[in-house]
């Protein structure tokens, strides 16, 4: 499975690199502000996960496969160990890597997601909006796509996030594999690992204060998998905390990496 990625050179040879993993419907530049913040201290690898961005499309879409993709990329780049940072689906993919190969993960930062299964209708309006555009081959502009999507999605910020992946080079208008994401949505919202599978290294969970993705009832699952986990809350922001409060988010991540390096 060939993943598209961008890598910045290491500012110093001994630095363990950082891998950034985006969320569902995203691509590698979604965490661009964090990349710019960290690249003066670390080599940073921004990745398009399978079926997203410019990475290969594949009919399989689950966290075992995504974890194996990332491990294969690290092997390709001759990187024995990395700090992993993931948002939402990318956070679950990062957790999957840490559980499958804990010695290859120097630390884990998870943004606004828990190692649990979520309800299956969280993105029904998003899929409806995306599929409305996909069924209209005559749509050639983001403006027209935005108008169509507004029939299903009232929030302009959500539409603008999705429209970052609008492309006339794709038959579906989207740079992500919409059909496979819809088919395997239950796998994406699920969590396939048993409670006894652990990563013992340092872990930071960062929650958006107004988001419902990380809840107190998720704490037992978190501690089962990640006994050395700590948490921070960024107030007055939602699920896209890295975009809503970038300075605060970036500072929290930087300080954590300094503590564990």
């Amino acid at each position: 499975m060939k993943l598209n990625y961008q890598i910045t050179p290491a500012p110093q040879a001994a630095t363990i690199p950082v891998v950034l993993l985006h969320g569902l419907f995203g691509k590698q530049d979604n965490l661009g502000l964090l990349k710019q913040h960290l690249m003066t201290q670390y080599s940073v690898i921004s990745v398009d996960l399978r079926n997203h961005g410019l990475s290969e499309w594949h009919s399989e879409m689950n966290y075992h496969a995504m974890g194996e993709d990332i491990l294969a990329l690290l092997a390709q780049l001759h990187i024995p160990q990395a700090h992993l940072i993931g948002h939402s689906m990318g956070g679950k993919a990062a957790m999957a890597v840490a559980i499958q190969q804990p010695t290859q993960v120097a630390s884990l930062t998870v943004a606004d997601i828990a190692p649990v299964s979520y309800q299956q209708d969280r993105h029904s309006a998003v899929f409806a909006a995306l599929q409305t555009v996909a069924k209209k081959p005559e749509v050639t502009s983001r403006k027209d796509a935005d108008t169509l999507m507004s029939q299903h999605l009232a929030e302009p910020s959500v539409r603008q996030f999705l429209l970052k992946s609008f492309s006339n080079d794709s038959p579906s208008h989207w740079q992500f594999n919409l059909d496979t994401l819809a088919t395997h949505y239950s796998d994406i919202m699920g969590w396939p690992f048993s409670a006894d599978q652990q990563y013992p290294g340092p872990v930071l969970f960062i929650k958006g204060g107004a988001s419902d993705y990380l809840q107190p009832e998720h704490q037992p699952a978190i501690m089962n998998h990640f006994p050395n986990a700590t948490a921070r809350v960024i107030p007055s922001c939602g699920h896209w905390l890295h975009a809503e409060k970038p300075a605060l988010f970036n500072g929290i991540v930087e300080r954590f990496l300094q503590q564990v390096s």
Side-chain angles (χ1 to χ4, degrees):
M1 186 72 206
K2 186 176 180 181
L3 297 183
N4 178 58
Y5 67 92
Q6 290 187 351
I7 184 169
T8 64
Q12 49 187 326
T15 303
I16 296 174
V18 172
V19 178
L20 304 181
L21 304 172
H22 62 80
L24 180 61
F25 307 120
K27 54 184 179 177
Q28 52 102 354
D29 65 359
N30 290 164
L31 293 165
L33 293 176
L34 179 61
K35 175 181 177 177
Q36 293 176 24
H37 187 82
L38 295 177
M39 61 189 291
T40 59
Q41 303 173 64
Y42 303 89
S43 175
V44 181
I45 305 159
S46 301
V47 179
D48 283 335
L49 293 168
R50 64 167 53 200
N51 293 311
H52 288 77
L54 299 179
S55 285
E56 288 185 352
W57 287 12
H58 194 283
S59 59
E60 188 177 16
M61 188 70 186
N62 59 63
Y63 291 109
H64 285 104
M66 283 186 268
E68 289 168 0
D69 290 345
I70 297 159
L71 288 166
L73 178 61
L74 294 178
Q76 173 191 331
L77 297 174
H78 305 289
I79 295 172
Q81 194 176 52
H83 300 286
L84 302 186
I85 302 172
H87 170 245
S88 197
M89 182 188 75
K92 281 190 168 183
M95 290 188 278
V97 176
I99 285 174
Q100 292 178 94
Q101 291 293 337
T103 60
Q104 291 190 241
V105 178
S107 76
L108 181 62
T109 302
V110 180
D112 211 55
I113 201 75
V116 300
S117 295
Y118 288 87
Q119 65 191 57
Q120 297 297 314
D121 60 351
R122 278 180 173 262
H123 298 91
S124 55
V126 172
F127 275 112
L130 296 171
Q131 288 162 346
T132 296
V133 175
K135 293 174 182 176
K136 297 284 187 178
E138 67 272 18
V139 173
T140 58
S141 70
R142 290 189 178 189
K143 181 179 179 181
D144 290 342
D146 184 52
T147 299
L148 283 173
M149 293 170 70
S150 67
Q151 300 171 15
H152 302 278
L153 288 172
E155 305 91 334
S157 60
V158 176
R159 299 199 305 272
Q160 290 307 306
F161 163 73
L162 295 168
L163 285 165
K164 290 180 179 180
S165 292
F166 178 83
S167 173
N168 283 315
D169 294 330
S170 170
S172 70
H173 291 308
W174 300 111
Q175 285 185 315
F176 40 75
N177 187 346
L178 181 58
D179 288 343
T180 293
L181 297 183
T183 299
H184 291 279
Y185 183 65
S186 61
D187 293 315
I188 295 167
M189 298 305 287
W191 181 246
F193 299 98
S194 60
D196 61 343
Q197 294 178 275
Q198 288 190 343
Y199 168 68
V203 182
L204 175 65
F205 284 82
I206 309 175
K207 171 182 166 54
S211 171
D212 65 350
Y213 275 81
L214 271 172
Q215 295 292 334
E217 57 264 30
H218 297 152
Q219 186 174 0
I222 289 171
M223 298 311 297
N224 282 337
H225 288 299
F226 309 107
N228 288 316
T230 58
R232 292 289 304 273
V233 178
I234 299 179
S236 304
C237 68
H239 186 55
W240 285 277
L241 62 177
H242 56 89
E244 295 177 47
K245 296 286 184 74
L248 189 51
F249 179 82
N250 295 348
I252 290 171
V253 173
E254 179 186 16
R255 287 189 293 274
F256 175 67
L257 290 175
Q258 290 172 344
Q259 291 169 6
V260 300
S261 296

